[in-house]
Amino acid sequence: MLTPALVRQTTSLWTFAKLALAWIIGILLAPLTLPFVLVWYVLAPFVLSTQKKNLTTLEARMRALHPLTGGVSEAYWGSLVASMTVPIVGIDQPENAPNTWRYLASLPLLLPVVLVPVAAATFSADLFTYIARSAAAAQFARFPRGAGTVASWRNTFMFPVLLIANAGARVVAYTYELTAFRAGAGMREGLNYWFHGNGLWTGSHDEVDAMLRSSQQRGPVRAGFFLIAPDIFASRILLFLSNIGRDSEWAAVRSQAHKMLFVPSSARLADLERRVRADWSPLAPPTAADLKDATCTVRLVTKCVFYALFGKWLDDADTEVLTGWRTMAATFVMPRATQRLLLNHGVEQLGTLRINSLGVVRKHKLEVFFAEFNEGLGKWRRTHLADLVDEIMFAVGFAGVGGTSAAVASMGSFLAAEQSADGGAHGVDFDGRSAADMHALYAKDPQAFIMEACRLSSPVGTFTTLLPETTPFATLGAVPAGTPVSGVLNMANRDPAVFPNPTRFDPSRAELSKAVTWNGQAFGPNEVSYPRICPGRNLSVAIIKAIVNVALSSEKMAPAP
């Protein structure tokens, strides 16, 4: 078992000297943060006391604006705000100490001491590993104050600092984490796991693939961090439900989603291109370059997803509401400590998005549809319909709109023979192809082009499971049951042991179907081996094709200059 004592015993004096220097610099910088600290302490009680009131007012306004129909009563509908403002899940567990105000109250005073060592660790493998291992020791030992320490806060802020240092390139940042952990632990290729946040991470294709094939224990954990429910995420969304047993809640919800959402959607896919073309731009023909415009892409994807699933083509006002599931993606994945430092501003924004999304459902009179969905859940039926609608809108928005929008944006970059955000400035090798060459490559085999684009720039970059039992890991010892383990899809899909010349854009590569892009090896011979493979993968690809086809066909029809 990894313990703080063992971490100290196996850390060099040179590493401790660098940490001490970083502490000294942080302490010297502390006076500069005092204005922020004072403002934070003054504003926190006032801001936090008004947030529930603001959301309650917003929900009441939404109810009045969009009365229920079809015999669905307000009593059955319930209150989403009431569900969002109950105590957060698992707050009494030691590993969740950073999420309590008792521990967070001191964090503003300690920010320089926390952040300066983190910044130094991005250039020092041994310091990086010490920070990660010390946080792991506190987490694994489950000490009463285990995760409420300066070490754990340093670890929490590690990845955002790495993203900043690497201009937001996620694959580069994750690769640095693994490389630094290996080097600091005195190991090389033999180590496939590193520690970050509240648990372990891996980017090995074999490890990620094995996790995706398994019956996964899940919970309210996102990107390796505990406690993002219910004020940020609904606590019973499919993402958090374990796929263990045929009679599981996960199986019931997924079966209903397949029957009521995805089977009917297939009949609407043929109409997507026509609707996209009519909606895109009445003033100028669409172009492939427009795909890189986030505003344009998210708007079109939102309308396509909602139409395919519910048969309603949204107006611009409703679309503006639901695009928030993509535009606020970074706010969703912020650790709770960061949310608290920002005075729960992001929490209130996300609460507003969730309430307004329910307003879109009520405006289009879909409450009877959701009532039928709820009744089909049997013993897993929700007491209040608002909770079910919120959970399904998470799937529609967070996965459907968010993931598909990311894929279309990557397609826009790759069609222009430009890098996507995931891999950094040199993340993809286009073999010297021009934009015209990439357009021709897409026309040759659109499905393969999309699969290769999503291999190199996965729409959803990570997933998180929980260890079902205590498990031994190299350099860490016995890791307790319930510890999060996250798989990084973008790294797994660039594993050179599986994908020769992994950064080369090659839709004809023989191993293309081995990419674990839609929670499994999608569209290949092994799909049935992945119980949690994305149920909306065919819909997502159909939307990508519709939008890209309209853009490219419009370019062909445009008059010569």
Side-chain angles (χ1 to χ4, degrees):
M1 174 70 71
L2 188 69
T3 65
L6 181 60
V7 171
R8 289 192 295 270
Q9 292 167 12
T10 55
T11 301
S12 70
L13 290 177
W14 173 234
T15 301
F16 281 125
K18 288 192 282 189
L19 180 63
L21 177 61
W23 270 77
I24 291 170
I25 295 173
I27 291 171
L28 293 175
L29 291 175
L32 300 178
T33 67
L34 283 178
F36 163 76
V37 172
L38 292 174
V39 169
W40 192 87
Y41 283 123
V42 169
L43 288 181
F46 170 75
V47 172
L48 296 172
S49 66
T50 61
Q51 285 174 343
K52 182 176 180 180
K53 180 180 178 181
N54 293 342
L55 292 176
T56 300
T57 302
L58 177 66
E59 185 176 41
R61 188 180 302 127
M62 181 272 290
R63 288 172 181 266
L65 188 61
H66 305 298
L68 291 168
T69 59
V72 176
S73 68
E74 288 289 358
Y76 178 34
W77 179 269
S79 168
L80 182 59
V81 173
S83 299
M84 289 165 49
T85 52
V86 299
I88 56 179
V89 177
I91 193 62
D92 56 336
Q93 300 299 314
E95 59 266 32
N96 299 325
N99 304 301
T100 62
W101 288 107
R102 181 165 57 125
Y103 285 100
L104 277 168
S106 60
L107 185 53
L109 290 169
L110 296 172
L111 268 181
V113 176
V114 169
L115 292 177
V116 172
V118 168
T122 62
F123 305 100
S124 172
D126 59 333
L127 186 54
F128 178 97
T129 307
Y130 169 76
I131 291 174
R133 282 166 59 85
S134 60
Q139 172 70 23
F140 297 163
R142 298 292 199 269
F143 292 154
R145 295 186 56 181
T149 60
V150 171
S152 67
W153 282 326
R154 283 197 300 253
N155 198 256
T156 294
F157 288 106
M158 193 88 78
F159 189 65
V161 172
L162 284 172
L163 282 178
I164 294 170
N166 291 286
R170 287 169 294 188
V171 173
V172 177
Y174 281 125
T175 302
Y176 179 90
E177 285 194 326
L178 175 57
T179 303
F181 200 83
R182 279 174 174 165
M187 301 181 69
R188 295 182 65 83
E189 298 303 316
L191 183 66
N192 289 325
Y193 288 84
W194 71 92
F195 184 87
H196 177 68
N198 293 128
L200 301 183
W201 294 72
T202 182
S204 160
H205 183 277
D206 287 349
E207 302 288 351
V208 169
D209 190 65
M211 290 163 62
L212 289 171
R213 290 174 184 261
S214 67
S215 296
Q216 299 171 35
Q217 181 175 320
R218 294 286 185 104
V221 183
R222 171 66 185 168
F225 286 94
F226 285 113
L227 288 177
I228 47 179
D231 57 349
I232 300 176
F233 285 89
S235 57
R236 296 173 70 183
I237 56 177
L238 274 172
L239 180 70
F240 295 157
L241 299 180
S242 302
N243 57 305
I244 299 174
R246 292 188 176 183
D247 194 34
S248 66
E249 182 179 5
W250 172 86
V253 176
R254 183 166 170 128
S255 175
Q256 275 293 87
H258 179 76
K259 180 176 72 174
M260 298 196 65
L261 292 173
F262 295 111
V263 170
S265 72
S266 61
R268 304 182 185 115
L269 299 184
D271 195 34
L272 283 179
E273 280 196 33
R274 179 186 67 82
R275 288 183 174 272
V276 168
R277 189 181 303 280
D279 190 275
W280 197 323
S281 174
L283 301 178
T287 68
D290 294 335
L291 301 177
K292 295 183 291 181
D293 180 347
T295 302
C296 172
T297 296
V298 178
R299 184 180 67 83
L300 289 170
V301 169
T302 299
K303 292 190 175 190
C304 287
V305 169
F306 203 86
Y307 172 73
L309 294 177
F310 302 111
K312 309 286 186 180
W313 192 261
L314 298 176
D315 61 27
D316 289 341
D318 293 337
T319 302
E320 181 67 23
V321 170
L322 298 187
T323 57
W325 292 97
R326 173 58 182 168
T327 58
M328 286 193 274
T331 306
F332 272 106
V333 298
M334 285 181 186
R336 192 173 296 276
T338 309
Q339 300 281 9
R340 299 307 196 217
L341 283 177
L342 297 175
L343 296 175
N344 274 4
H345 176 65
V347 174
E348 186 170 2
Q349 282 186 312
L350 297 176
T352 299
L353 170 62
R354 291 166 67 180
I355 292 169
N356 287 338
S357 295
L358 266 61
V360 172
V361 167
R362 289 172 59 138
K363 174 182 176 179
H364 290 278
K365 306 187 186 308
L366 293 170
E367 51 267 58
V368 174
F369 169 88
F370 280 101
E372 181 182 348
F373 191 116
N374 194 32
E375 295 306 316
L377 293 178
K379 68 178 182 179
W380 302 112
R381 175 185 180 275
R382 279 33 174 175
T383 302
H384 293 118
L385 195 57
D387 292 337
L388 176 72
V389 178
D390 184 42
E391 293 157 14
I392 298 302
M393 290 308 292
F394 262 98
V396 172
F398 194 69
V401 172
T404 308
S405 295
V408 174
S410 294
M411 287 288 292
S413 295
F414 292 156
L415 284 166
E418 297 174 0
Q419 304 294 333
S420 68
D422 297 87
H426 307 289
V428 178
D429 176 10
F430 294 105
D431 273 351
R433 296 187 185 96
S434 66
D437 296 330
M438 296 298 285
H439 292 190
L441 193 62
Y442 172 82
K444 181 179 179 181
D445 190 340
Q447 180 81 12
F449 191 104
I450 292 169
M451 289 176 65
E452 178 71 343
C454 290
R455 178 186 72 85
L456 289 162
S457 185
S458 181
V460 178
T462 67
F463 68 97
T464 302
T465 70
L466 300 172
L467 285 180
E469 58 187 8
T470 299
T471 307
F473 285 87
T475 78
L476 295 170
V479 178
T483 298
V485 182
S486 297
V488 184
L489 301 178
N490 277 320
M491 288 180 67
N493 289 332
R494 296 173 183 234
D495 190 333
V498 178
F499 303 97
N501 198 357
T503 61
R504 183 171 182 263
F505 192 96
D506 181 13
S508 66
R509 62 171 64 244
E511 66 284 352
L512 183 58
S513 65
K514 293 183 180 180
V516 285
T517 305
W518 282 271
N519 272 343
Q521 294 183 15
F523 308 111
N526 300 318
E527 264 200 351
V528 295
S529 301
Y530 299 87
R532 299 186 74 106
I533 198 163
C534 176
R537 61 196 181 282
N538 291 303
L539 171 60
S540 180
V541 170
I543 291 173
I544 295 168
K545 286 180 179 178
I547 294 174
V548 172
N549 289 347
V550 169
L552 296 182
S553 65
S554 295
E555 285 188 347
K556 291 178 182 178
M557 292 187 296

